[in-house]
Amino acid sequence: MSHYGLQTDNEGYVIVYTDGCCTNNGYSGARAGIGVFFSDGNHLNVSEPLIGRATNQRAELHAVIAACKQALGAGIRKLQINTDSHYTMNCATKWVNDWLNNGWINARGNPVSNKSDIQEMLSLVDQLRVKWITVPAHSGIYGNVQADRLANQGAAKY
């Protein structure tokens, strides 16, 4: 692959780790950040504060959004997204078909939370070939540790 410094799996998918964080999640003064880690020192890495309502779930979604935007901008078409967010993974791979069939109403009969964020993520994911990987949080996996570090740095930029 022509993208210097990027890791790929044996099928040519570029490997990226995404993470979101939020201090004081659910309370006033909450500060959220997003982290995207491709590789050490890579210009595609992202560390930014989350714009808008600061929640952990939105931060996780927007980390994937940022990763997809970075990939598309760099001409990457196959992306392996590694996330420790079961919420994000379920939004993208499990719950979305039910929501589409039910008019974005969840299993409890309520409107889906974070609908516009999820729709933005899905519109970007649909432009790529994506392989989703769930990684355990805070287990020492290098890429996940770096994405977490970048997310926390992003939250500190408020």
Side-chain angles (χ1 to χ4, degrees):
M1 168 163 284
S2 63
H3 300 289
Y4 175 78
L6 295 176
Q7 306 292 320
T8 58
D9 72 2
N10 59 1
E11 298 174 22
Y13 285 79
V14 171
I15 298 169
V16 64
Y17 289 83
T18 65
D19 202 9
C21 72
C22 186
T23 59
N24 295 323
N25 192 38
Y27 297 96
S28 66
R31 298 186 331 185
I34 63 172
V36 176
F37 180 77
F38 283 92
S39 60
D40 286 323
N42 197 295
H43 69 283
L44 296 176
N45 293 347
V46 176
S47 176
E48 296 176 349
L50 177 65
I51 305 302
R53 190 169 45 91
T55 70
N56 190 62
Q57 290 179 336
R58 285 194 69 242
E60 295 282 4
L61 293 168
H62 280 270
V64 171
I65 288 167
C68 291
K69 286 180 177 179
Q70 292 294 83
L72 289 165
I76 296 166
R77 293 294 175 255
K78 293 169 71 175
L79 196 61
Q80 176 186 303
I81 298 173
N82 295 273
T83 178
D84 61 17
S85 171
H86 293 281
Y87 170 77
T88 300
M89 177 76 76
N90 286 333
C91 285
T93 65
K94 190 175 183 181
W95 301 330
V96 63
N97 290 328
D98 288 340
W99 292 339
L100 291 171
N101 292 331
N102 297 334
W104 288 91
I105 301 299
N106 68 21
R108 293 189 177 103
N110 299 316
V112 172
S113 297
N114 305 315
K115 175 185 171 185
S116 62
D117 302 304
I118 295 164
Q119 289 175 320
E120 182 179 1
M121 177 185 70
L122 295 173
S123 72
L124 291 163
V125 165
D126 285 349
Q127 298 174 53
L128 296 156
R129 286 179 57 195
V130 171
K131 186 187 298 184
W132 292 92
I133 306 288
T134 304
V135 297
H138 310 292
S139 61
I141 296 170
Y142 185 75
N144 187 249
V145 169
Q146 296 306 310
D148 180 70
R149 180 181 59 77
L150 292 168
N152 280 286
Q153 287 175 351
K157 294 178 181 176
Y158 266 75

